[in-house]
Amino acid sequence: MKVLYTASATATGDGRDGSARSDDGKLVVDLASPVEMGGDGNGTNPEQLFAAGYAACFHSALRIVARRAKADVTGSVVSAEVDLGAVGDGAFGIGVRLEISLPQLGAQEAKELVDAAHLVCPYSNATRGNVDVQLTLAPTEVAA
């Protein structure tokens, strides 16, 4: 792999109940376990950070493949949900659901772009074969 960029961040405190900071200081977050996991929820958590990162990365990949295909992705939106769960023997895993809205495109063209973006996106490539990633096209309203 030819490295184009390296991000660096450090977590301190008590893991999920601590803080994280990027080496350049542009990202500084308090971390807290979600209420659903017995925490106070007064901070972000790794799953929220992963969801934001995956959504942004996939959206960027989508725009790259759309530009190559000369497709109109005006108004496009990518939303991510990341599930955390037990996978057995005390281990944990994640699952991801991405919902992609491409209001300017028909269903077939949108599906082709989403499939192509899934092959380009670094997060998709990193999770492929290890994390269940579900891709869904958001319903679009058809003008009457």
Side-chain angles (χ1 to χ4, degrees), residues 37-91:
M37 292 177 58
D40 64 17
N42 289 327
T44 192
N45 60 66
E47 293 71 37
Q48 289 174 325
L49 295 169
F50 191 82
Y54 203 156
C57 190
F58 195 91
H59 201 184
S60 181
L62 184 65
R63 296 182 67 77
I64 288 168
V65 299
R67 194 168 31 256
R68 291 177 187 161
K70 296 181 176 39
D72 183 1
V73 292
T74 303
S76 60
V77 176
V78 176
S79 299
E81 292 181 324
V82 174
D83 299 318
L84 172 67
V87 294
D89 295 327

Side-chain angles (χ1 to χ4, degrees), residues 16-138:
R16 289 182 168 277
D17 296 298
S19 63
R21 177 185 182 92
S22 62
D23 65 337
D24 63 4
K26 292 181 181 178
L27 175 72
V28 179
V29 293
D30 291 327
L31 301 170
S33 294
V35 173
E36 296 85 350
M37 292 177 58
D40 64 17
N42 289 327
T44 192
N45 60 66
E47 293 71 37
Q48 289 174 325
L49 295 169
F50 191 82
Y54 203 156
C57 190
F58 195 91
H59 201 184
S60 181
L62 184 65
R63 296 182 67 77
I64 288 168
V65 299
R67 194 168 31 256
R68 291 177 187 161
K70 296 181 176 39
D72 183 1
V73 292
T74 303
S76 60
V77 176
V78 176
S79 299
E81 292 181 324
V82 174
D83 299 318
L84 172 67
V87 294
D89 295 327
F92 297 91
I94 60 171
V96 176
R97 289 181 305 283
L98 297 178
E99 182 177 79
I100 302 98
S101 175
L102 294 164
Q104 304 302 319
L105 303 179
Q108 184 60 37
E109 187 178 12
K111 182 182 181 334
E112 290 171 6
L113 283 179
V114 167
D115 290 346
H118 195 41
L119 295 174
V120 170
C121 176
Y123 275 60
S124 293
N125 289 326
T127 59
R128 187 170 286 108
N130 189 44
V131 173
D132 180 29
V133 177
Q134 298 173 15
L135 305 172
T136 304
L137 283 169

